[in-house]
Amino acid sequence: MLKPKKRFGQHFLVDARVLVRILAALTIQSDDHVVEIGPGKGALTRYLLPHCRRLDAIEIDRDLVELLKEKFAGQEKLHLHCADVLRFDFASLAEPEKRLKIVGNLPYNISTPLLFHLFKQKYVIADMVFMLQKEVATRLTASPGSKRYGRLSVMAQYHCGIEMLFTVPAQSFRPPPKVTSAVVRLTPHPALPVEVSDYTRFQAVVAAAFSQRRKTLRNALYPLLSAEAIRACGIDPGSRAEELPLSAFAALSRALGPVHPTIA
Ligand code: SAM
């Protein structure tokens, strides 16, 4: 019997109803190529396998990979990768003209860096259904003016359309986590929703604007942009980052000159 490893954020799903709902949210077609992140002991893997053409599963814990090899011996559709998903090259799996469907009950300690890693590879991704901490799911879907709206909301909404699907109580896992979880769907935009001209500048302006939430844009963006330059974008320099829609950050990024590498 393997003991759950805290350092890998191991909370295993034991509620079949939740597994069925995740499977339904992914809307798999028989020709789909699915990638599961953190299969653990294979609870979700077992539900996914019959429905797709190929399933790649990325698991960092060698003991679990050995267990999965035994459990799924002879299942030719399943390809196990013992690897750190934060370094995983998803593009290497993608076939021409066929985007990946990605799913996982994510290790909460790496969910934000993982999302940024995936955004970089969105060109090979059709959509993603993830179990996350509810708090992170709320930040991903937050609108301007709400308490949870911040850098993660703006960056994620730039790359993807995001839907909050349902929440999952701690009792659905063994061991139960300390927090409530939620399942979200992220679908990379077929065409970018705003024009930023240069992604590095966009990232820099969003990071600077939210670096001190309480500050007005005039102060938070100094010395990147002057109050006049902010006003010229049609934005009040006395406003705060948390009030601005994605289009305003895009406009600010277009007004920004080249970004010094230490800022980017
Ligand atoms: N999918 C399983 C389930 O629902 O029961 C396990 C989910 S558990 C929350 C997260 C899984 O991700 C664990 O199996 C853990 O070992 C794995 N994991 C943690 N960090 C990882 C990483 N950097 N790369 C790949 N897998 C990772």
Side-chain angles (χ1 to χ4, degrees), residues 4 19 21 33 37-38 43 50 72 74 76 101 107 118-119 127 142 154-155 176 193 209 215 218 224 232:
L19 291 162
R21 289 185 83 184
H33 184 173
I37 297 175
F72 294 99
E76 289 181 0
K101 278 179 152 319
L118 289 163
F119 295 153
D127 60 2
V154 175
M155 296 309 296
K215 280 198 176 178
R218 177 191 288 110
L224 290 179

Side-chain angles (χ1 to χ4, degrees), residues 8-13 38-40 59-60 64 83-85 105 107 110:
F8 292 145
Q10 291 178 353
H11 298 278
F12 301 107
L13 261 170
E59 172 58 62
I60 200 169
L64 287 177
D84 179 353
V85 69
N105 167 18
I110 61 159

Side-chain angles (χ1 to χ4, degrees), residues 16 25 29 69 92 94 103 126 129 144 146 200 211 213 229 231 249 252:
Q29 312 287 317
K69 275 186 191 161
S92 70
V103 63
V129 171
S146 87
T200 309
S211 60
R213 283 183 79 89
R231 203 172 289 112
F249 289 103
L252 290 169

